[in-house]
Amino acid sequence: MNFKFSIFFLSLFITANSLAQKSSDDVLFTVDDEPVSATEFVRVYNKNLDLVKDESQKDVDTYLQLFINYKLKIKEAKRLGLDTIPTYKREFLGYKKQLSKNYMSDSNVTEALIKEAYNRMAYDIKAKHVLVRIDENEKDTLNVYNQLIDLRKRILSEGFEKVKSEVHDGETVFAEDLGYFSAFKMVYPFENAAFSTKVGEISMPFRTRFGYHIVIVEDKRPTLGEVTVEHIMIMNNQKDSLVNPEVRINEIYKKINQGENFESLAKQFSEDKSSSDKGGLLTPFTGGQLSSQEFEKVAFSLKEKGEISKPFKSNYGWHIIKLISKEGLQPIEKIKNEVENRVKRDSRSSLINDALASKLKKQYDVKDNEKALIYFESILTPSYFSRGWIVPSNVEANKELFKVGSKTVLYSDFANHLAAVQKAYFEKQMAFSDIIRKEYKSYQEAVILAYHEENLEFVNEDFAQILKEYRDGLLLFDLMEKEVWSAAINDSIGLKTYFEKNASTYVWNTRVDVVIATAAKQKDIEKVKALMNKGKSDEDISQELNSDKIQKVIFTKGLMETSNQSLPIDLELKEGVSKIYNYNDAFHVILINSIKPASNKTFDEAKGKATSDYQGFIEENWLNTLNNRYKVIVNEDVLTKVKSQIKN
C-alpha cells in the first residue's frame, strides 16, 4: 500500500481527501460539468504545502494546474472502468480493512493500555517460569492449580534447577529460563504476572492460553533504550576483485588498532554509502528496530562511549561498530503511535475489542435474547463433541436473534455459526449452556464490530476522507501504470527513437581505470609510490608492507567517474602513478591505467534514465489529450478569493 501511494504522491504532490462538498461551497472549476469546490482545493493545497520541494509548485496557479491534471486523470480512470476491475476492488477492500483497524477501538481503554505498556517498556524483567499445559477451554483445572502450588513450594525450598531437572519434560511440563524481556514480548496475562511480581519472589499460579504458570522474577533493570553508533561495512557481494570482505574488514580493524581515525576509515572504505560520508554515523535505533539482530546485539553490548567492536558478520556484510551514545526510553510523545500500534497487534487488543463491542452494543441498542439461548441449548446433541452435529432441518431459521442497526440476525445465522465452530469442542464434553453462552457472546460481538466497520464511512468523517484518498490513489496508480509507465517500457521502438533524438543528453563524464593505494602515514604512502613506479603490482606491495599484525596500506581499484568520492577532487588526469594526495584524513596515491574521456552513453547504458524521461514525454502528450477530451472551466472570481485566502 505505502509503495503505491508514495509513487502516486511523489508524482503529483496531490491528494483528494475530501467528502462530497456541500452545495453552498464555491465551485472553483468544473470537469465536464462535474464541480470541484474551492474548499477541497484549499485544503489539499495547505495539506501538501510543506511537502512540495519545488518552489514553483507553491504558486497557486501552478498548483491549480496540477490539481486539474489530477482530476482529469481520475475522470479518465473512471471512463475506462478501472474502478470496476475485480483486482482493483479486491485491493481497495484490503486497504479499507487495514485502514479501519485504526478506527476500531475504545479510546479510554486504548489510552490506559498505552500508558501501562509505555511504563513497562522502561524496564526489562529477567525471569524463569514453570508451565503445566492444559487445553484452553478446560474448566476443571483445580488439580493443575494445586500441582503448581506444590511446585512453587518446592522451588522456594529446593531451588529452581533441582525442580527443573525432575519435572521438565518439554511436552506437558516446562521449566525454563526466559532471560530478559520487556512489554510485548510475552502474552499479556504472562506479562501482567511478571511485572506484578517483585524481584526475588514467585507468583501464585495464573492462567494463559497455554495453561497454568508460575513465574520467578530474578531481576528488573532499566531498558536498553536507544543507541547511536557509527559503523564500517564491507558488503558480502563484491565487484572489486581485490576485496575479500572478511580480509578487508580485518585489514581495517588493524588500522583502527594502530590508532587511525574511525570516521576517516569509514569515509575511505565503508560500503554503506548512506553513512560513509558521515563517518559511518547511523540514525539512532532501539532494540527490535533493525532487521539485523546480530547488528543490534553487538551495538547494545558496547558499554563506553567510543568503544569499538571487533569485526562481525551480519546478513548484509562485515561490520565494525563504534558506540557514540546510549539513551533511555524515548518520551511517550515521540513514540505514542508506535506503542498504540503494538497494543492493537498484541493479545491485550482483546480488551479493546471487548470495550468497543460493549460501547457499540449500547450505541446500536442491541437487545439480548435469553429465550433464544434456551432454544439453542435444546437443539444441541452429544454429536457436537464428535464434530457430527448438523443444523436440524426444522430449526426456527427465520426468527430474529437480535438486531444491529439496520441488520437483522436470524436464528439460522447463529445455528450455522455453531455448526462451523463445533470442531473447537471436539471431545471436550462441556455443558451445552456454557457452549451456547460463550459462542453467543463472541458471535454477537463479531457481528456488532463487523457492522460498525462496514458502516464507518458513513459515521466517521475522518475515515471517509482518508478512504477516498486511498480509492482515488489506487485508481491513479493503475491508470498511470496502464497509460504511462508500462506504455514506455513496452514501446521498445518508441523508446529507442526517443533516445536517438535526445542522445546528447545521455553522456558519461570522464572516467579513469585506477588502482588506489591508501595509508595513514605519509612515509608508508611514499614507499608505495616508489614501488608503483618500479612496476610492482598491488599484490606484491601489499605482501611487502602489510603483515598479520600491521596494515599499512589498502588497495581499491575499478573504473570510476572522476567525481567518485574515492578520488581527490583535484586529481590530475594523467596515465601512470600520481602524486601523493591528502584527503579524507589519509594519504593516497593513484595508478591511472587509462583515461576514458567524456562520451555519449550507448542505449543499453542509458536505458534506465531514458525510460524515465520517455515516460515523462508520454505523460505530457497524454495530458494534452485529456484536456481536449474533457472541458475544464475555471471560475476566475472564485480563484481570486482562493488566492486571497491562501495569502492570508
Side-chain angles (χ1 to χ4, degrees), residues 303-350:
K303 300 290 191 296
E304 302 296 329
K305 182 178 179 180
E307 184 180 351
I308 296 173
S309 75
K310 292 181 179 180
F312 67 94
K313 189 178 183 182
S314 76
N315 292 334
Y316 301 99
W318 285 85
H319 311 260
I320 305 170
I321 295 178
K322 178 180 178 180
L323 179 63
I324 302 303
S325 66
K326 274 186 177 180
E327 295 182 12
L329 183 64
Q330 293 294 299
I332 184 64
E333 295 79 15
K334 285 190 175 182
I335 62 171
K336 185 175 180 180
N337 287 340
E338 176 191 342
V339 177
E340 181 175 355
N341 288 334
R342 296 181 73 180
V343 164
K344 289 180 178 179
R345 293 194 303 266
D346 187 64
S347 57
R348 70 195 79 201
S349 63
S350 61

Side-chain angles (χ1 to χ4, degrees), residues 99-329:
L99 177 64
S100 66
K101 292 177 181 178
N102 297 325
Y103 295 84
M104 296 292 291
S105 64
D106 181 277
S107 58
N108 292 332
V109 175
T110 303
E111 284 296 321
L113 289 172
I114 291 171
K115 183 177 180 181
E116 176 189 71
Y118 177 78
N119 290 337
R120 290 177 178 178
M121 287 169 64
Y123 297 96
D124 297 324
I125 297 287
K126 187 172 188 288
K128 297 173 180 176
H129 84 130
V130 179
L131 163 66
V132 177
R133 298 209 66 161
I134 56 172
D135 188 87
E136 189 174 359
N137 295 311
E138 181 62 55
K139 282 197 167 187
D140 186 7
T141 61
L142 182 59
N143 288 338
V144 173
Y145 184 91
N146 288 333
Q147 183 182 351
L148 264 299
I149 289 290
D150 291 340
L151 289 174
R152 182 178 185 275
K153 291 177 181 177
R154 286 191 59 193
I155 292 171
L156 286 169
S157 61
E158 302 171 31
F160 178 81
E161 294 302 326
K162 185 174 187 304
V163 173
K164 175 183 177 180
S165 66
E166 295 180 13
V167 304
H168 177 83
D169 61 20
E171 294 181 2
T172 58
V173 181
F174 296 79
E176 301 168 309
D177 187 343
L178 301 172
Y180 282 97
F181 59 88
S182 188
F184 301 111
K185 300 300 183 184
M186 302 293 176
V187 293
Y188 186 54
F190 192 98
E191 178 190 308
N192 279 337
F195 275 90
S196 300
T197 302
K198 294 180 180 179
V199 174
E201 294 187 358
I202 306 176
S203 73
M204 294 299 289
F206 61 93
R207 190 170 184 175
T208 72
R209 68 173 184 265
F210 303 107
Y212 268 98
H213 311 249
I214 52 174
V215 60
I216 304 100
V217 176
E218 298 183 307
D219 188 24
K220 185 177 182 180
R221 71 181 185 192
T223 186
L224 294 175
E226 185 177 78
V227 66
T228 303
V229 299
E230 294 172 340
H231 84 134
I232 298 171
M233 181 179 82
I234 304 298
M235 292 188 295
N236 288 324
N237 299 320
Q238 286 293 320
K239 294 180 180 179
D240 188 338
S241 60
L242 289 179
V243 176
N244 175 301
E246 184 175 5
V247 172
R248 172 56 60 91
I249 202 73
N250 279 293
E251 289 175 345
I252 296 170
Y253 188 62
K254 282 191 286 184
K255 292 174 80 67
I256 292 171
N257 288 334
Q258 290 164 201
E260 295 189 32
N261 183 270
F262 186 98
E263 291 74 16
S264 299
L265 292 170
K267 291 177 182 178
Q268 296 165 47
F269 300 112
S270 180
E271 294 175 348
D272 175 13
K273 298 307 178 186
S274 65
S275 67
S276 59
D277 61 345
K278 297 177 286 189
L281 183 66
L282 297 176
T283 301
F285 57 88
T286 58
Q289 187 174 340
L290 300 186
S291 58
S292 173
Q293 294 182 2
E294 185 61 30
F295 193 98
E296 283 189 357
K297 180 181 177 182
V298 175
F300 281 108
S301 71
L302 301 176
K303 300 290 191 296
E304 302 296 329
K305 182 178 179 180
E307 184 180 351
I308 296 173
S309 75
K310 292 181 179 180
F312 67 94
K313 189 178 183 182
S314 76
N315 292 334
Y316 301 99
W318 285 85
H319 311 260
I320 305 170
I321 295 178
K322 178 180 178 180
L323 179 63
I324 302 303
S325 66
K326 274 186 177 180
E327 295 182 12
L329 183 64

